[in-house]
Amino acid sequence: MPSSRDRQARVATYVVYAVQGLSFASLLIQVANLQAKHGLDDGALTLLLLIVPVFAGVGSVAAGTFAARFGSRLLLRVAQPVVALAVVLTGLAPSVPLLVPVLLLFGVAVGAVDAGMNMQGVAVERRYGLQILNGFHSVWSVASMLGAAWASVAATLPLPVIMSVPMVFALVGSLVFARNLCAPEEEKVEDAPASAAAGGFPWRPIIPLCLAMGFLYVGDAAVSNFNTVFMKNVLSAGPQVVPLAYVAYQATTLAVRLGGDLAVRRYGPAAIVRIGGVIATLGFLGVVAAPNQPLAIVAFGLTGVGLSVVAPQSFSAAGKLDPAGTGVAIARVNLFNYIGFIVGAALVGGIADAVDMRWAFAAPLVLAAVIIALAPGFEPRRQAPNPSAA
């Protein structure tokens, strides 16, 4: 039976996920507008977008080291306000030379928050003793969808205003609720072996999770970075219609995640991930073939249905493989978030620059199909500690 303290930590974790979703969407939904503002071609845009996942990977690795010593609560209390500040500065940056360091700051901070919030999510899931991680990711999707909807409604306002208004709510939420997150002693598993607590953890059992996470984020990078460019440049959508593809992606992601915990409890994570891989593949096929704006929006929605199940199950399975609750496995799996995002941005942007934006979405189509084969890895057995493993 969860205690009042457990429920308090759960609410605080919901807020952390919400703030991250709102912050992430508030920046990425403006990629097409930032491209136009700074006069960037697709190749230059791709290079600029690579800054975020590269330095997010740095932030995630650093977060693992920091959290192992000080806990993820302090990490989030420092890094999440920095994410909100960086979004505001992105909208204000008047030139590319000033935009680059802001994106670097955003990348490092967003990587630290991604790792930290999933450490908190897994810690709360452990304390409850049942699958609840999809619920946290659902809140991320709700906030992300609201950020995209705000961008659509406020499309005629100046870009700095559009990007700054949501960050007021993000900053307040982070400062008020982060203090109620799980403390370092609450994140640890009682009676864990000392060698496991020291960070000894093997790579082999999490390889399927890492690969699936990477392939997921190739697809997510394609949708997040280039959906606005696809809608605007390929299908000639207007400013009110352009954000709707991302709204559909996040709305279907939310719909699936709302029932995801119940589905996983009934059918198991491997079956759910396998079905998700099939649906994501069909969604990307729809994007490649979409003849008009409504069908493209539907196809982007299907990709959300399929991809939405992979990340929560990756972190949940990684948490089960970590016998001490150190966050080591979660940090390693989270690293492939950014590897996938880097590959996705480079691959999709490179194909778009060489061929066209429509065929660029064939790359995540193929990798989404590979997730189907990786699904059995989502039901791992808890591993015994291995102090000799790096």
Side-chain angles (χ1 to χ4, degrees):
M1 185 74 177
S3 66
S4 59
R5 174 66 189 112
D6 293 334
R7 290 189 289 272
Q8 185 184 53
R10 185 176 184 178
V11 170
T13 305
Y14 279 134
V15 174
V16 168
Y17 275 82
V19 169
Q20 184 75 335
L22 181 62
S23 302
F24 197 68
S26 295
L27 189 146
L28 287 188
I29 202 67
Q30 300 300 337
V31 166
N33 287 331
L34 290 169
Q35 181 183 28
K37 175 181 177 178
H38 297 288
L40 302 168
D41 60 25
D42 287 344
L45 178 65
T46 299
L47 291 175
L48 199 62
L49 290 175
L50 283 174
I51 292 173
V52 173
V54 167
F55 284 94
V58 174
S60 181
V61 171
T65 302
F66 183 95
R69 183 172 182 182
F70 301 107
S72 59
R73 181 172 66 180
L74 179 59
L75 171 72
L76 290 167
R77 296 187 73 175
V78 173
Q80 194 150 58
V82 174
V83 172
L85 175 63
V87 172
V88 174
L89 293 176
T90 300
L92 292 171
S95 63
V96 172
L98 292 176
L99 181 62
V100 168
V102 173
L103 290 178
L104 187 156
L105 177 67
F106 176 83
V108 171
V110 87
V113 173
D114 275 347
M117 74 180 187
N118 283 296
M119 292 174 195
Q120 285 287 324
V122 169
V124 174
E125 185 174 77
R126 283 198 190 100
R127 296 179 71 84
Y128 270 72
L130 74 164
Q131 288 273 353
I132 59 172
L133 204 58
N134 274 291
F136 294 128
H137 286 264
S138 296
V139 172
W140 190 101
S141 298
V142 170
S144 187
M145 187 172 60
L146 289 174
W150 160 253
S152 178
V153 170
T156 58
L157 296 177
L159 185 60
V161 175
I162 298 173
M163 299 182 72
S164 297
V165 169
M167 293 304 96
V168 175
F169 297 96
L171 187 61
V172 171
S174 177
L175 294 176
V176 171
F177 285 91
R179 60 190 176 185
N180 294 329
L181 294 167
C182 288
E185 62 273 13
E186 295 172 316
E187 294 185 72
K188 305 302 180 185
V189 175
E190 294 181 3
D191 302 323
S195 58
F201 188 84
W203 271 102
R204 183 174 296 177
I206 62 169
I207 286 175
L209 309 178
C210 292
L211 290 176
M213 181 70 87
F215 296 156
L216 151 67
Y217 277 100
V218 169
D220 188 73
V223 176
S224 299
N225 287 336
F226 297 106
N227 78 89
T228 57
V229 178
F230 181 90
M231 293 296 293
K232 182 177 181 180
N233 297 348
V234 176
L235 298 179
S236 303
Q240 280 75 34
V241 176
V242 164
L244 296 183
Y246 193 69
V247 171
Y249 178 69
Q250 290 300 339
T252 55
T253 295
L254 168 63
V256 171
R257 286 177 174 171
L258 284 173
D261 290 326
L262 293 175
V264 171
R265 291 172 204 166
R266 181 169 182 178
Y267 300 108
I272 297 302
V273 170
R274 187 178 295 111
I275 294 169
V278 172
I279 296 174
T281 302
L282 294 175
F284 282 116
L285 180 62
V287 173
V288 172
N292 53 47
Q293 297 168 20
L295 289 179
I297 291 171
V298 171
F300 278 114
L302 279 177
T303 65
V305 171
L307 296 178
S308 62
V309 300
V310 179
Q313 297 316 308
S314 296
F315 289 120
S316 183
K320 293 173 184 175
L321 286 167
D322 185 350
T326 62
V328 174
I330 293 170
R332 289 181 178 180
V333 170
N334 188 61
L335 178 61
F336 281 77
N337 170 346
Y338 309 112
I339 292 174
F341 218 86
I342 292 167
V343 172
L347 189 61
V348 174
I351 295 173
D353 203 35
V355 186
D356 63 47
M357 182 59 71
R358 182 183 294 276
W359 283 106
F361 280 89
L365 185 162
V366 173
L367 294 179
V370 179
I371 292 175
I372 302 168
L374 295 170
F378 283 76
E379 291 184 351
R381 297 179 179 178
R382 186 184 294 273
Q383 299 296 305
N386 181 0
S388 64

